[in-house]
Amino acid sequence: QVQLVESGGGLVQPGGSLRLSCAASGFTFSSYFMSWYRQAPGKERELVAAITSAGGITNTADSVKGRFTISRDNAKNTVYLQMNSLKPEDTAVYYCKADRLVYHYWGQGTQVTVSS
């Protein structure tokens, strides 16, 4: 059974940091391209960051560039999103996604709220 379980979300003040984790099981994690998306209330889901299967190439959206970093540990079947210098506009539900060929899996999401 394929599972992607996000954790690490919560309430943080502007300027603070959080690290999200996404633990994968039920598929060959090291063969999958992994990404983080987010969806704010009333907005479409958007890509935040992505990383290749071996972790050699990463990409982040312009809106988070320089503040967010994606990484993965294939030995632990986990992908991370380090979020620094958080802003209120980063408030959203954050989802991880796994992609390989015709296979696409989503996690259930974790809420991140940036507010004073």
Side-chain angles (χ1 to χ4, degrees), residues 96-114:
C96 66
K97 185 184 180 194
D99 293 279
R100 181 176 181 270
L101 301 176
V102 299
Y103 301 99
H104 312 286
Y105 308 123
W106 288 94
Q108 83 290 347
T110 186
Q111 176 70 46
V112 172
T113 302
V114 184

Side-chain angles (χ1 to χ4, degrees), residues 19-102:
R19 188 175 84 152
L20 305 183
S21 300
C22 173
S25 60
F27 62 99
T28 307
F29 177 78
S30 60
S31 297
Y32 278 69
F33 183 94
M34 297 298 298
S35 50
W36 286 95
Y37 285 73
R38 68 185 180 185
Q39 188 166 21
K43 295 189 176 181
E44 292 187 355
R45 193 171 295 191
E46 64 173 352
L47 176 65
V48 175
I51 187 167
T52 53
S53 57
I57 299 174
T58 64
N59 193 23
T60 50
D62 288 344
S63 58
V64 304
K65 202 173 293 289
R67 300 188 297 122
F68 290 12
T69 303
I70 188 171
S71 62
R72 66 190 295 162
D73 186 338
N74 285 346
K76 295 183 178 180
N77 288 355
T78 301
V79 62
Y80 304 97
L81 185 67
Q82 178 66 44
M83 306 187 294
N84 299 328
S85 302
L86 282 160
K87 304 175 181 180
E89 51 263 43
D90 295 318
T91 295
V93 178
Y94 284 72
Y95 300 89
C96 66
K97 185 184 180 194
D99 293 279
R100 181 176 181 270
L101 301 176
V102 299

